[in-house]
Amino acid sequence: MIGSTMLNAEALNNNDTVGELYARFGADSFMPQATADNMPTLWVERAKLLDVLIHLKKQFPMLLDLFGIDERLREHKPEAAKDFTVVYHLMAFRPVAEIRIKTAVSLDEIAVPSAVSVYPNANWYEREAWDMYGIEFSGHPNLRRILLPPTWQGHALRKDHPARATEMEPFSLDDEKQQQEQEALLFKPEDWGMQRTTDDTEFMFLNLGPNHPSVHGVFRIALQLDGEVVVDSVPDIGYHHRGAEKMAERQTWHSFIPYTDRIDYLGGVMNNLAYVMAVEQLADIEVPDRAKVIRIMMSELFRISSHLVFYGTFAQDVGQMSPVFYMFADRERLLGIVEAVTGGRMHPAWFRIGGVAQDLPKGWEKMVREFIDAMPARLDHYQKMAMDNSILKQRTQGVGAYNTQEAMDWGITGASLRATGFDFDLRRDRPYGGYDQFEFEVPIAHNGDCYDRAVVRIEEIRQSLHIIRQCMDNMPEGPYKSEHKLTTPPPKERTLQDIETLIHHFLNVSWGPVMPAGESSFPIEATKGINNYHLVSDGGTQSYRTRIRTPSFPALQQIPLISNGLMIADMIAIIASIDFVMADVDR
């Protein structure tokens, strides 16, 4: 587990990467910042930003995240901060390491150089930062809105932008305005550097989605076609955007937990995990062993649930009808266990700051054991039904392939990265939340194509079953929630014993616990890749800034790289193999 004490200046100066930066650019080029997650955090002036990123890419091949912060209302803001901050979260894998680079911009000079030439996946992240904050990125190939409609006024994550519709002008949509909105969404190939014709070809432009079953939700891809061959494509997102990061600024630390369930809405309580562990890191809350094992068991159950949805819909998208019914039946049995334990199904919002909501109910072992005993044989049957099918293999093998370097460049994590032969899993390589106590294999494949992306996820189901069995056989006794005063809410039985705990319960639930000022980031190996919550506390009952890094967002950005030159039918197989959720993309 990542340490929760503030990184002091001496420790930061002794960091090898920081020492190299100081030697290369001079110590006076940087200003260090102490954070609750112990991640080296350095402020750098804009003029040196690109040179620093170029230097760091040798060691940190992945830009895990890039986002903005509006610092103007922050009371405990860092000394180097101005009106806005751009944050670059970089990641290395062997050994696992992270570094956070920040640069400050003023409202009257709100521009930084684009990092697209260094990290290709910075493209969408920079568009999002411009969309949400109005931060310009000079040199960006096509800086335009990405989550909000093209006609939107203002920048939604600025502190002076309304957070609720009731705070804005009443909405109306007459015929004239509807026509304007439709025209704004019209795809214009020239805006994306595309030609309509060549000397011997007239291209066709086709909207795939946003209302089409093969795009798995409200997702649009504008295709440039030469017959049925995809010449180029432009993924278009934002149709599912609900502003979860803006909502976090209006919720208490505790009451935001149900919102996290609905990010990757197939991941259930695993969404809670990254968030509550980031909060616990801010407050230095130690979670009891029993709560850790319960969390791991429930998270792995939801990993299986998510992968079953992927498995069934993947087979369906490439032409098989039966598998999805079998796999959804298994998922229903699994959700029955979740309901028995948590009281909810897809979105139980059951993890709490400091532990879980309740202890495990009587009889939970029987339900879980029956499920994990039955699943291996079911998976063997599905292997013969789906993965060994010659037509499925023809549709997916060698289609949509990319290598490890391309995956790194585009921020691809999780099973989609492991399908390229890269052996990495946060649960094993930097254990968190108690995963260091478990034995499991990390499945990998080597071709990086649609078929191998499925192979890895299917084997992960078997490994999750193995982890769950270990949870059952080694479930510790003890409390299911920490006794720390900021644990929310305190265990109910304690509220019946003393008035102080009852008062804490009342205050923490109604007004919210007061978290120490600081910053905390916690990445986990979620169902679809690395999910990371970066929290900024200003010493209050609500988050000053909540940044949600999701694995689905960069995965869709990569689609043109792996689909151009293939057929439309291949594009459907590629989309099926990515395993994304649009709420995980748009947030």
Side-chain angles (χ1 to χ4, degrees):
M1 179 176 175
I2 305 171
S4 57
T5 55
M6 289 292 187
L7 186 68
N8 59 46
E10 182 180 356
L12 185 62
N13 290 333
N14 290 334
N15 182 277
D16 291 342
T17 301
V18 173
E20 290 176 10
L21 287 172
Y22 285 0
R24 171 69 175 81
F25 297 97
D28 56 351
S29 299
F30 303 94
M31 181 173 289
Q33 177 188 338
T35 58
D37 55 16
N38 280 344
M39 188 190 304
T41 302
L42 298 173
W43 293 77
V44 60
E45 57 190 64
R46 284 177 292 176
K48 296 182 179 179
L49 175 63
L50 281 188
D51 290 337
V52 169
L53 293 178
I54 291 170
H55 176 80
L56 285 172
K57 189 175 182 184
K58 303 167 193 172
Q59 181 182 350
F60 297 88
M62 183 177 290
L63 173 67
L64 190 70
D65 202 6
L66 186 164
F67 59 93
I69 302 174
D70 184 347
E71 305 277 9
R72 291 175 295 173
L73 300 183
R74 189 174 173 186
E75 293 182 10
H76 301 90
K77 65 182 179 183
E79 183 181 349
K82 297 179 182 177
D83 294 327
F84 296 91
T85 299
V86 183
V87 182
Y88 301 80
H89 183 166
L90 310 181
M91 191 162 192
F93 298 92
R94 292 177 177 158
V96 182
E98 297 168 273
I99 190 170
R100 187 182 291 125
I101 300 297
K102 293 185 174 185
T103 191
V105 292
S106 303
L107 190 60
D108 56 355
E109 193 179 355
I110 192 165
V112 296
S114 172
V116 171
S117 61
V118 186
Y119 293 100
N121 65 320
N123 188 316
W124 275 21
Y125 288 117
E126 290 177 352
R127 285 178 60 191
E128 183 184 4
W130 179 84
D131 194 0
M132 295 292 112
Y133 291 98
I135 299 170
E136 299 282 345
F137 291 88
S138 54
H140 190 282
N142 203 344
L143 197 61
R144 58 173 64 210
R145 291 201 185 273
I146 186 170
L147 295 178
L148 297 177
T151 56
W152 191 271
Q153 300 298 312
H155 301 282
L157 282 182
R158 287 189 177 186
K159 292 296 184 180
D160 51 10
H161 192 284
R164 293 180 175 174
T166 53
E167 300 169 352
M168 304 175 72
E169 294 182 8
F171 177 78
S172 64
L173 189 64
D174 54 30
D175 292 343
E176 181 180 355
K177 187 174 181 182
Q178 182 174 348
Q179 183 64 28
Q180 292 174 352
E181 295 290 340
Q182 291 289 344
E183 289 178 359
L185 290 173
L186 185 66
F187 181 73
K188 298 174 183 176
E190 295 81 7
D191 293 346
W192 298 91
M194 297 180 182
Q195 291 180 290
R196 292 181 183 268
T197 61
T198 63
D199 292 339
D200 55 0
T201 303
E202 182 176 348
F203 298 114
M204 178 173 68
F205 295 89
L206 176 71
N207 279 317
L208 180 61
N211 297 303
H212 192 282
S214 71
V215 294
H216 292 226
V218 279
F219 173 42
R220 173 195 185 202
I221 310 177
L223 299 175
Q224 181 186 23
L225 301 175
D226 183 1
E228 285 196 52
V229 176
V230 177
V231 178
D232 205 350
S233 56
V234 176
D236 183 23
I237 64 175
Y239 297 93
H240 201 295
H241 186 55
R242 295 165 300 144
E245 294 179 9
K246 187 77 169 180
M247 293 177 191
E249 299 174 9
R250 297 287 293 263
Q251 301 294 322
T252 69
W253 299 100
H254 173 63
S255 63
F256 186 65
I257 293 173
Y259 290 83
T260 67
D261 281 56
R262 291 154 177 82
I263 304 302
D264 170 11
Y265 52 71
L266 298 178
V269 295
M270 192 177 289
N271 291 279
N272 307 157
L273 187 60
Y275 174 71
V276 297
M277 293 191 80
V279 177
E280 289 158 3
Q281 195 167 235
L282 269 174
D284 200 15
I285 296 173
E286 181 62 33
V287 178
D289 289 341
R290 183 174 178 84
K292 289 180 180 179
V293 177
I294 293 173
R295 283 178 173 184
I296 289 173
M297 183 177 73
M298 298 306 297
S299 294
E300 294 304 320
L301 281 171
F302 268 104
R303 191 185 307 278
I304 295 172
S305 174
S306 177
H307 284 354
L308 285 172
V309 173
F310 161 78
Y311 199 173
T313 55
F314 171 74
Q316 185 180 46
D317 281 349
V318 295
Q320 286 192 311
M321 288 297 294
S322 298
V324 70
F325 295 106
Y326 285 85
M327 295 164 195
F328 268 62
D330 288 332
R331 178 171 173 261
E332 280 300 305
R333 282 188 283 272
L334 191 155
L335 291 179
I337 298 172
V338 172
E339 185 175 14
V341 172
T342 70
R345 284 170 61 82
M346 284 182 65
H347 308 134
W350 194 66
F351 290 177
R352 292 291 181 270
I353 300 169
V356 294
Q358 300 102 16
D359 205 347
L360 294 170
K362 293 180 180 179
W364 68 272
E365 303 101 324
K366 183 176 184 293
M367 296 182 68
V368 174
R369 193 173 299 279
E370 286 177 352
F371 177 79
I372 64 175
D373 285 347
M375 274 305 297
R378 304 279 290 182
L379 292 172
D380 293 341
H381 178 58
Y382 302 155
Q383 180 70 28
K384 297 175 184 177
M385 184 196 311
M387 298 302 289
D388 291 345
N389 183 282
S390 60
I391 297 176
L392 185 144
K393 288 183 176 181
Q394 291 170 21
R395 289 287 311 275
T396 59
Q397 289 182 340
V399 174
Y402 52 82
N403 58 39
T404 299
Q405 183 57 56
E406 289 170 332
M408 295 285 186
D409 285 343
W410 290 95
I412 307 302
T413 56
S416 294
L417 174 60
R418 292 188 281 275
T420 68
F422 191 72
D423 187 7
F424 173 80
D425 190 310
L426 269 178
R427 294 173 296 170
R428 180 198 64 191
D429 298 326
R430 192 177 65 187
Y432 57 88
Y435 272 106
D436 56 320
Q437 303 299 313
F438 292 82
E439 293 182 358
F440 59 96
E441 299 295 327
V442 175
I444 62 169
H446 297 281
N447 298 310
D449 57 14
C450 294
Y451 189 82
D452 277 7
R453 288 193 281 277
V455 166
V456 172
R457 289 181 173 90
I458 294 163
E459 181 57 30
E460 283 186 357
I461 296 177
R462 296 183 185 273
Q463 295 302 320
S464 291
L465 292 171
H466 182 49
I467 293 172
I468 294 167
R469 189 177 298 278
Q470 293 175 71
C471 291
M472 291 190 58
D473 295 341
N474 301 281
M475 181 63 67
E477 297 295 332
Y480 60 88
K481 190 181 292 183
S482 170
E483 294 189 2
H484 194 285
K485 65 179 181 180
L486 294 179
T487 293
T488 306
K492 186 175 181 180
E493 54 272 19
R494 287 182 54 217
T495 67
L496 305 177
Q497 296 172 2
D498 59 86
I499 188 64
E500 290 81 6
T501 305
L502 185 61
I503 292 171
H504 274 133
H505 185 287
F506 177 78
L507 294 178
N508 285 358
V509 172
S510 56
W511 295 345
V514 177
M515 292 295 162
E519 296 187 36
S520 173
S521 177
F522 209 107
I524 69 163
E525 192 74 41
T527 62
K528 293 163 178 56
I530 293 180
N531 184 18
N532 181 77
Y533 275 78
H534 180 106
L535 305 179
V536 178
S537 171
D538 207 22
T541 59
Q542 298 168 317
S543 168
Y544 183 85
R545 171 75 168 103
T546 295
R547 168 61 181 178
I548 310 170
R549 189 275 179 193
T550 63
S552 296
F553 183 85
L556 296 195
Q557 185 179 189
Q558 193 199 26
I559 285 177
L561 172 74
I562 59 179
S563 62
N564 292 353
L566 302 179
M567 307 284 281
I568 295 177
D570 297 325
M571 171 73 82
I572 305 305
I574 289 170
I575 293 171
S577 73
I578 291 175
D579 187 24
F580 63 91
V581 161
M582 284 314 300
D584 200 53
V585 177
D586 290 352
R587 287 156 283 116

